[in-house]
Amino acid sequence: MKKKTRIPLIILILFICFLLFAPRGNYLKTDVVNTFSGPSAEHWMGTDNLGRDVYALLLAGGVRTLEVVFLATAISFLTGTVLGMIAGYYGGIFGSIIQFLSDFSLVIPSFIVALTMSALFGFNIMMAGIVFGIGQMGEYVNQAFVLTRSLKSQEFIDAELVLGLSRPRIIFFHVLPNICRQLLVFMGNKAANVVNLYAGLAFIGLGTDITNPDWGTLLYQYRSYMTTYPMLVIWPTLFIALLTICLHATFDSSKVGKGDLTLYD
C-alpha cells in the first residue's frame, strides 16, 4: 500500500473507531444549572442549552451517521456494480432494461424520495440507508457498465473465452478486479455525499428525534446560538467535515493510474 494511501486510511479508521468505541456519558442527561459551560474534565466539549454533554451527543450522532453511510454504500455499490457489469458484458435487451431502470432512478432526486417516504412510512436510519442506497444505485450501474464495456474489448477477455472460462467467472474474477479501483474512487465520493445528505435531512427534522441526536439535528438546534456560543455549531460542523474529507482522501488516494480506464462522467 502506498504511503499516500495509508495515511488517510489510518486517519479514517481511527476516527471511525473513536466514534464507535470512545467512552461517553449519558447524552440524554440534562443539567439546567450547568448550561453553556466550556470544555472541562467532566464535559470535554462543554454543554449545550439544556446542559447536555456535547461530546456524548456528537458521538451518538456519529454512530447513526456511520450506520446510514454503511447501509447506503453497501446497497448501491454491491447491487449497482453487479448489475452494471452484467449489462456491460452481455448487452442486448437485458442490458438495455438495466440501463433504462438505472437512468430512471437518476431522474428522481434521493432527497425528494426521502421526503415522500418520510410522509408515508416515517423515516429512520434503516429507511434512510435504503433510500440513499437505491437512489445512488443507478450511478454505480452506469460506472460499471461503461468500464465493463471498455474492458470487454481487451484481448485477454477473448483469450479467456477461447480457453473455456465461463462468462460469470470472467465477470467476477477478471472484469471486477480490473475495474474495482475506479469504482472505489467513485465510492469514496458517493459515501461522502451520503454523510452530507443525511446531515441535511436531519437538519430539517427527518430521520431523527430529540432522543436520538444527529449532527444535522444538532446544527439545527444550535443555529440560534451561532453568534453567542459559536462552538456549539462548530463542533458538529467539524465532525461532518472530517468524516467527509477522510472518505474522499482515503479512496481518492488510490487514484487511477496511467493507462487505466477512464471513469464514466
Side-chain angles (χ1 to χ4, degrees), residues 6 17 38 41 43 46 56 59 74 102 110 112 133 152 160 178 188 204 218:
R6 188 184 304 120
C17 290
H43 303 289
L59 292 185
S102 68
S110 299
I112 302 300
K152 184 182 178 183
E160 289 169 346
N178 280 282
I204 63 174
L218 297 178

Side-chain angles (χ1 to χ4, degrees), residues 27-208:
Y27 59 83
L28 297 177
K29 182 180 179 181
T30 61
D31 184 2
V32 294
V33 180
N34 189 29
T35 59
F36 300 115
S37 67
S40 63
E42 184 179 1
H43 303 289
W44 292 1
M45 296 179 181
T47 60
D48 64 3
N49 56 311
L50 298 177
R52 298 177 299 178
D53 187 86
V54 175
Y55 168 77
L57 290 167
L58 289 171
L59 292 185
V63 172
R64 290 167 61 81
T65 299
L66 290 177
E67 290 175 352
V68 173
V69 172
F70 177 80
L71 180 59
T73 302
I75 292 174
S76 58
F77 179 78
L78 296 177
T79 308
T81 297
V82 171
L83 291 177
M85 289 192 301
I86 292 174
Y89 190 87
Y90 288 101
I93 297 177
F94 185 65
S96 299
I97 293 175
I98 294 177
Q99 280 267 276
F100 172 78
L101 293 176
S102 68
D103 291 340
F104 180 77
S105 69
L106 297 176
V107 175
I108 306 175
S110 299
F111 199 87
I112 302 300
V113 176
L115 290 173
T116 304
M117 297 298 288
S118 175
L120 294 176
F121 308 107
F123 208 68
N124 51 40
I125 291 178
M126 182 68 68
M127 185 64 69
I130 293 174
V131 169
F132 296 154
I134 295 176
Q136 294 186 346
M137 190 185 301
E139 299 178 74
Y140 285 95
V141 170
N142 287 340
Q143 294 285 343
F145 175 84
V146 172
L147 292 170
T148 301
R149 287 292 295 270
S150 300
L151 193 65
K152 184 182 178 183
S153 62
Q154 301 296 316
E155 294 180 356
F156 79 93
I157 298 293
D158 295 331
E160 289 169 346
L161 284 172
V162 173
L163 292 173
L165 272 69
S166 65
R167 287 179 170 81
R169 181 177 179 83
I170 292 175
I171 291 174
F172 290 102
F173 291 94
H174 298 275
V175 173
L176 179 58
N178 280 282
I179 68 174
C180 190
R181 178 181 295 181
Q182 295 92 324
L183 290 175
L184 287 177
V185 174
F186 185 70
M187 185 186 73
N189 175 268
K190 302 312 294 183
N193 286 348
V194 172
V195 175
N196 293 316
L197 187 57
Y198 182 64
L201 288 174
F203 184 84
I204 63 174
L206 293 181
T208 62

Side-chain angles (χ1 to χ4, degrees), residues 14-29:
L14 290 176
F15 186 53
I16 291 176
C17 290
F18 167 70
L19 293 175
L20 294 176
F21 306 115
R24 70 193 70 179
N26 183 5
Y27 59 83
L28 297 177
K29 182 180 179 181

